[in-house]
Amino acid sequence: MKHLASGRCLCGAARFEIAGEWESFFLCHCARCRKDTGTAHAANLFSSRAEITWLSGRETIKTFQLPGTRHVRSFCTECGSALPSLQLDGALLVVPAGSLDTEVGIRPTAHISYASRASWDDRLDAVEKIDELPS
Protein backbone atom coordinates (compact mmCIF):
# COMPACT_ATOMS: atom_id res chain seq x y z
CA MET A 1 0.00 0.00 0.00
CA LYS A 2 1.58 3.28 -1.10
CA HIS A 3 1.94 6.34 1.11
CA LEU A 4 -0.83 8.77 0.29
CA ALA A 5 -0.76 11.60 2.78
CA SER A 6 0.49 12.93 6.08
CA GLY A 7 -0.97 15.46 8.44
CA ARG A 8 -1.22 16.86 11.93
CA CYS A 9 -3.25 19.05 14.21
CA LEU A 10 -2.54 22.77 14.56
CA CYS A 11 -0.37 22.41 17.69
CA GLY A 12 1.50 19.41 16.24
CA ALA A 13 0.72 17.05 19.12
CA ALA A 14 -1.15 14.57 16.91
CA ARG A 15 0.64 13.46 13.72
CA PHE A 16 -0.38 10.76 11.25
CA GLU A 17 0.33 9.10 7.92
CA ILE A 18 -2.16 7.50 5.58
CA ALA A 19 -1.52 4.77 3.00
CA GLY A 20 -4.07 3.82 0.38
CA GLU A 21 -6.38 5.78 -1.89
CA TRP A 22 -9.33 8.12 -1.52
CA GLU A 23 -12.70 6.95 -2.77
CA SER A 24 -14.54 10.24 -2.36
CA PHE A 25 -14.14 13.83 -1.21
CA PHE A 26 -17.35 15.47 -0.01
CA LEU A 27 -18.10 19.05 0.98
CA CYS A 28 -20.96 18.67 3.47
CA HIS A 29 -23.23 21.66 4.12
CA CYS A 30 -25.46 20.08 6.79
CA ALA A 31 -26.07 22.01 10.02
CA ARG A 32 -24.04 19.46 12.03
CA CYS A 33 -20.95 19.89 9.85
CA ARG A 34 -21.33 23.68 9.98
CA LYS A 35 -21.40 23.46 13.80
CA ASP A 36 -18.34 21.16 13.77
CA THR A 37 -16.26 23.46 11.61
CA GLY A 38 -17.73 26.90 12.27
CA THR A 39 -17.66 27.37 8.48
CA ALA A 40 -19.89 26.92 5.44
CA HIS A 41 -19.12 23.21 5.09
CA ALA A 42 -16.93 20.34 6.19
CA ALA A 43 -14.40 19.02 3.65
CA ASN A 44 -13.80 15.31 4.28
CA LEU A 45 -11.99 12.57 2.38
CA PHE A 46 -13.32 9.01 2.61
CA SER A 47 -11.72 5.60 2.11
CA SER A 48 -12.67 2.05 2.99
CA ARG A 49 -9.22 0.81 1.92
CA ALA A 50 -6.72 3.37 3.27
CA GLU A 51 -4.90 2.75 6.54
CA ILE A 52 -3.90 5.35 9.10
CA THR A 53 -0.79 5.21 11.27
CA TRP A 54 -0.62 7.58 14.23
CA LEU A 55 2.96 8.86 14.62
CA SER A 56 2.31 10.81 17.82
CA GLY A 57 -0.38 12.27 20.03
CA ARG A 58 -2.93 9.51 19.90
CA GLU A 59 -3.59 10.17 23.60
CA THR A 60 -4.63 13.78 22.79
CA ILE A 61 -7.44 12.68 20.46
CA LYS A 62 -11.07 12.72 21.56
CA THR A 63 -13.91 11.36 19.44
CA PHE A 64 -17.46 12.63 19.79
CA GLN A 65 -20.48 10.91 18.25
CA LEU A 66 -23.73 12.83 18.29
CA PRO A 67 -26.16 10.51 20.10
CA GLY A 68 -28.65 8.77 17.84
CA THR A 69 -26.75 9.68 14.64
CA ARG A 70 -23.81 8.57 12.50
CA HIS A 71 -22.26 12.03 12.94
CA VAL A 72 -18.72 11.61 14.35
CA ARG A 73 -15.97 14.14 14.95
CA SER A 74 -12.43 13.51 16.22
CA PHE A 75 -10.27 16.36 17.43
CA CYS A 76 -7.11 17.24 19.35
CA THR A 77 -7.86 18.00 22.99
CA GLU A 78 -4.94 20.46 23.07
CA CYS A 79 -5.81 22.74 20.11
CA GLY A 80 -9.25 21.56 18.95
CA SER A 81 -8.16 20.75 15.38
CA ALA A 82 -10.30 18.27 13.45
CA LEU A 83 -8.54 14.92 12.99
CA PRO A 84 -9.18 11.65 11.11
CA SER A 85 -11.49 9.02 12.53
CA LEU A 86 -12.44 5.44 11.82
CA GLN A 87 -16.20 5.15 11.45
CA LEU A 88 -18.77 2.42 10.76
CA ASP A 89 -17.00 0.02 13.13
CA GLY A 90 -13.62 0.79 11.59
CA ALA A 91 -14.73 0.12 8.01
CA LEU A 92 -14.43 3.75 6.87
CA LEU A 93 -11.58 6.22 7.33
CA VAL A 94 -12.80 9.84 7.32
CA VAL A 95 -10.10 12.50 7.04
CA PRO A 96 -10.70 16.25 7.32
CA ALA A 97 -8.96 17.62 4.22
CA GLY A 98 -7.61 20.60 6.18
CA SER A 99 -5.73 18.30 8.56
CA LEU A 100 -3.41 17.18 5.75
CA ASP A 101 0.05 18.68 5.20
CA THR A 102 0.33 17.02 1.78
CA GLU A 103 -1.71 17.68 -1.33
CA VAL A 104 -5.12 16.01 -1.37
CA GLY A 105 -4.63 14.78 -4.94
CA ILE A 106 -8.31 14.69 -5.95
CA ARG A 107 -10.99 17.29 -6.55
CA PRO A 108 -14.14 17.25 -4.42
CA THR A 109 -16.62 14.61 -5.57
CA ALA A 110 -19.74 16.59 -4.64
CA HIS A 111 -21.37 19.14 -2.37
CA ILE A 112 -23.70 17.14 -0.11
CA SER A 113 -26.63 18.36 2.00
CA TYR A 114 -26.50 21.37 -0.29
CA ALA A 115 -30.19 22.18 0.17
CA SER A 116 -29.53 22.86 3.88
CA ARG A 117 -26.55 25.18 3.29
CA ALA A 118 -26.29 28.48 5.17
CA SER A 119 -28.08 31.41 3.53
CA TRP A 120 -24.77 33.30 3.23
CA ASP A 121 -23.17 30.40 1.34
CA ASP A 122 -24.40 31.54 -2.07
CA ARG A 123 -22.40 33.27 -4.79
CA LEU A 124 -19.15 33.19 -2.80
CA ASP A 125 -17.24 33.33 -6.07
CA ALA A 126 -18.39 36.98 -6.33
CA VAL A 127 -16.92 37.95 -2.93
CA GLU A 128 -13.65 39.95 -2.98
CA LYS A 129 -10.51 37.81 -2.73
CA ILE A 130 -7.62 39.08 -0.60
CA ASP A 131 -4.30 37.19 -0.63
CA GLU A 132 -3.23 38.18 2.91
CA LEU A 133 -4.87 39.23 6.14
CA PRO A 134 -6.83 42.47 5.69
CA SER A 135 -5.29 45.54 7.30
Side-chain angles (χ1 to χ4, degrees):
M1 197 174 277
K2 76 174 190 139
H3 173 1
L4 177 64
S6 60
R8 61 190 161 99
C9 63
L10 185 60
C11 72
R15 294 178 42 245
F16 59 89
E17 289 182 340
I18 296 170
E21 66 182 62
W22 306 125
E23 293 160 13
S24 55
F25 181 4
F26 292 125
L27 306 176
C28 183
H29 295 263
C30 78
R32 293 171 184 159
C33 284
R34 291 196 320 268
K35 289 282 185 197
D36 276 352
T37 64
T39 64
H41 58 75
N44 289 308
L45 296 143
F46 295 82
S47 180
S48 63
R49 297 184 293 266
E51 295 178 2
I52 187 165
T53 301
W54 290 99
L55 304 175
S56 66
R58 196 167 185 162
E59 69 283 355
T60 69
I61 300 167
K62 180 167 177 72
T63 299
F64 169 78
Q65 179 162 4
L66 188 62
T69 73
R70 289 182 9 200
H71 190 82
V72 176
R73 179 177 188 270
S74 290
F75 57 94
C76 174
T77 58
E78 296 295 317
C79 66
S81 296
L83 291 168
S85 61
L86 288 170
Q87 298 180 21
L88 301 176
D89 294 325
L92 184 66
L93 177 63
V94 180
V95 179
S99 69
L100 296 176
D101 292 328
T102 53
E103 287 295 317
V104 171
I106 66 170
R107 299 274 306 150
T109 308
H111 289 269
I112 60 174
S113 299
Y114 193 69
S116 64
R117 70 191 178 282
S119 61
W120 48 267
D121 189 17
D122 278 331
R123 299 180 20 141
L124 294 180
D125 55 333
V127 175
E128 180 182 5
K129 292 159 184 68
I130 303 170
D131 289 336
E132 298 178 17
L133 291 175
S135 52

Coordinates of all heavy atoms in Angstrom, one line a residue, residues 3 11 15-18 23 46-47 51 54 56-57 62 68 70 72-74 76 78 96 106 125-126:
H3 N 2.2 5.2 0.2 CA 1.9 6.3 1.1 C 1.1 7.4 0.4 O 1.4 7.7 -0.8 CB 3.3 6.9 1.5 CG 3.2 8.2 2.3 ND1 2.1 8.8 2.7 CD2 4.1 9.0 2.8 CE1 2.3 9.9 3.3 NE2 3.5 10.1 3.4
C11 N -1.5 22.3 16.7 CA -0.4 22.4 17.7 C 0.7 21.4 17.4 O 1.8 21.5 18.0 CB -0.9 22.3 19.1 SG -1.5 20.6 19.6
R15 N 0.1 13.6 15.1 CA 0.6 13.5 13.7 C 0.3 12.1 13.2 O 0.3 11.1 13.9 CB 2.1 13.7 13.7 CG 2.6 15.1 14.2 CD 4.1 15.3 14.2 NE 4.8 14.7 13.1 CZ 5.7 13.6 13.3 NH1 6.0 13.1 14.4 NH2 6.3 13.1 12.2
F16 N 0.0 12.0 11.9 CA -0.4 10.8 11.3 C 0.1 10.7 9.8 O 0.5 11.6 9.2 CB -1.9 10.6 11.3 CG -2.6 11.7 10.6 CD1 -3.0 11.6 9.3 CD2 -3.0 12.9 11.3 CE1 -3.6 12.6 8.6 CE2 -3.7 13.9 10.6 CZ -4.0 13.8 9.3
E17 N 0.1 9.4 9.3 CA 0.3 9.1 7.9 C -0.8 8.2 7.4 O -1.3 7.4 8.2 CB 1.7 8.4 7.7 CG 2.9 9.3 7.9 CD 4.2 8.6 7.7 OE1 4.2 7.3 7.7 OE2 5.2 9.3 7.4
I18 N -1.1 8.3 6.2 CA -2.2 7.5 5.6 C -1.6 6.8 4.3 O -1.0 7.5 3.5 CB -3.4 8.4 5.2 CG1 -4.0 8.9 6.5 CG2 -4.4 7.5 4.5 CD1 -5.0 10.0 6.3
E23 N -11.6 7.4 -1.9 CA -12.7 6.9 -2.8 C -13.6 8.1 -3.1 O -14.3 8.1 -4.1 CB -13.5 5.8 -2.1 CG -12.6 4.6 -2.0 CD -13.1 3.6 -1.0 OE1 -14.2 3.7 -0.4 OE2 -12.3 2.7 -0.6
F46 N -12.8 10.3 2.1 CA -13.3 9.0 2.6 C -12.6 7.9 1.9 O -12.3 7.9 0.7 CB -14.8 8.9 2.3 CG -15.7 9.9 3.0 CD1 -15.8 11.2 2.6 CD2 -16.3 9.5 4.2 CE1 -16.6 12.1 3.2 CE2 -17.1 10.4 4.9 CZ -17.2 11.7 4.4
S47 N -12.3 6.8 2.7 CA -11.7 5.6 2.1 C -12.1 4.4 3.0 O -11.9 4.4 4.2 CB -10.2 5.7 2.0 OG -9.7 4.5 1.4
E51 N -5.3 3.1 5.2 CA -4.9 2.8 6.5 C -4.2 3.9 7.1 O -3.4 4.6 6.5 CB -4.0 1.5 6.6 CG -4.7 0.3 6.1 CD -3.8 -0.9 6.1 OE1 -2.6 -0.8 6.5 OE2 -4.2 -2.0 5.7
W54 N -0.8 6.4 13.4 CA -0.6 7.6 14.2 C 0.8 7.6 14.6 O 1.4 6.6 15.2 CB -1.5 7.5 15.5 CG -2.9 7.7 15.1 CD1 -3.9 6.8 14.9 CD2 -3.6 9.0 14.8 NE1 -5.1 7.4 14.5 CE2 -4.9 8.7 14.4 CE3 -3.1 10.3 14.8 CZ2 -5.8 9.7 14.1 CZ3 -4.0 11.3 14.5 CH2 -5.3 11.0 14.1
S56 N 2.2 10.2 16.5 CA 2.3 10.8 17.8 C 1.0 11.4 18.2 O 0.1 11.6 17.4 CB 3.4 11.9 17.9 OG 3.0 13.0 17.1
G57 N 0.8 11.6 19.5 CA -0.4 12.3 20.0 C -1.7 11.5 20.1 O -2.7 12.2 20.3
K62 N -9.8 13.1 21.0 CA -11.1 12.7 21.6 C -12.0 12.6 20.4 O -11.9 13.3 19.4 CB -11.6 13.8 22.5 CG -12.9 13.5 23.1 CD -13.3 14.4 24.2 CE -14.6 14.2 24.8 NZ -14.8 13.0 25.5
G68 N -27.6 9.1 18.7 CA -28.7 8.8 17.8 C -28.4 9.1 16.4 O -29.3 9.0 15.6
R70 N -25.1 9.1 13.0 CA -23.8 8.6 12.5 C -22.8 9.7 12.5 O -21.7 9.5 12.0 CB -24.0 8.0 11.1 CG -24.7 6.7 11.0 CD -24.8 6.2 9.6 NE -24.0 6.8 8.6 CZ -24.2 6.7 7.3 NH1 -25.2 6.0 6.9 NH2 -23.4 7.3 6.5
V72 N -19.9 11.8 13.5 CA -18.7 11.6 14.4 C -17.7 12.7 14.1 O -17.5 13.1 12.9 CB -18.1 10.2 14.1 CG1 -16.8 10.0 14.9 CG2 -19.1 9.1 14.4
R73 N -17.0 13.2 15.1 CA -16.0 14.1 14.9 C -14.8 13.8 15.9 O -15.1 13.6 17.1 CB -16.5 15.5 15.3 CG -15.4 16.6 15.1 CD -16.0 18.0 15.4 NE -15.0 19.0 15.1 CZ -14.2 19.5 16.0 NH1 -14.1 19.1 17.2 NH2 -13.3 20.5 15.6
S74 N -13.6 13.7 15.4 CA -12.4 13.5 16.2 C -11.6 14.8 16.2 O -11.6 15.5 15.2 CB -11.6 12.3 15.7 OG -12.2 11.1 15.9
C76 N -8.2 17.2 18.4 CA -7.1 17.2 19.3 C -7.6 18.0 20.6 O -8.2 19.0 20.5 CB -5.9 18.0 18.7 SG -4.6 18.3 19.9
E78 N -5.8 19.3 22.8 CA -4.9 20.5 23.1 C -5.3 21.7 22.3 O -5.4 22.8 22.8 CB -3.5 20.1 22.8 CG -2.9 19.0 23.6 CD -2.9 19.4 25.1 OE1 -2.4 20.5 25.4 OE2 -3.2 18.5 25.9
P96 N -10.5 14.8 7.6 CA -10.7 16.2 7.3 C -9.6 16.7 6.4 O -8.4 16.6 6.7 CB -10.6 17.0 8.7 CG -10.9 15.9 9.7 CD -10.3 14.6 9.1
I106 N -7.1 14.8 -5.2 CA -8.3 14.7 -6.0 C -9.2 15.9 -5.7 O -9.0 16.6 -4.7 CB -9.1 13.4 -5.6 CG1 -9.6 13.5 -4.1 CG2 -8.3 12.2 -5.8 CD1 -10.6 12.4 -3.8
D125 N -18.2 33.0 -5.0 CA -17.2 33.3 -6.1 C -17.2 34.8 -6.4 O -16.2 35.3 -6.9 CB -17.5 32.5 -7.3 CG -18.9 32.6 -7.9 OD1 -19.8 32.9 -7.1 OD2 -19.1 32.5 -9.1
A126 N -18.3 35.5 -6.1 CA -18.4 37.0 -6.3 C -17.8 37.8 -5.2 O -17.7 39.1 -5.4 CB -19.8 37.4 -6.6

